[in-house]
């Protein structure tokens, strides 16, 4: 029974992370994770397909 609980917790964690990445990419945000401080930064991404200077 403990194995099933652990498996469900791990599955929920990865599904939540996948949902966060999906929402960020849908709304054109970038995701940065730094393991030393263990923090996640979400910020608007820079679209590099269009030149900024004309």
């Amino acid at each position: 029974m403990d194995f099933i609980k652990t498996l469900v917790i791990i599955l929920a964690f990865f599904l939540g992370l996948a949902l966060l990445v999906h929402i960020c990419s849908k709304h054109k945000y970038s995701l940065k994770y730094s393991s030393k401080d263990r923090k996640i930064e979400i910020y608007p991404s820079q679209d590099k397909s269009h030149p900024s200077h004309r």
Side-chain angles (χ1 to χ4, degrees):
M1 196 65 171
D2 289 333
F3 176 72
I4 294 173
K5 287 181 184 179
T6 305
L7 187 63
V8 168
I9 289 171
I10 291 172
L11 184 65
F13 172 75
F14 283 112
L15 283 176
L17 193 59
L19 183 64
L20 180 65
V21 169
H22 173 71
I23 290 172
C24 286
S25 67
K26 184 177 179 182
H27 295 289
K28 296 186 179 170
Y29 279 85
S30 293
L31 193 71
K32 181 180 178 185
Y33 174 73
S34 58
S35 63
K36 187 86 172 176
D37 300 331
R38 293 188 184 198
K39 64 180 180 178
I40 296 175
E41 296 179 17
I42 300 173
Y43 53 91
S45 64
Q46 300 291 330
D47 189 13
K48 296 184 180 186
S49 63
H50 301 295
S52 59
H53 300 289
R54 292 184 180 196

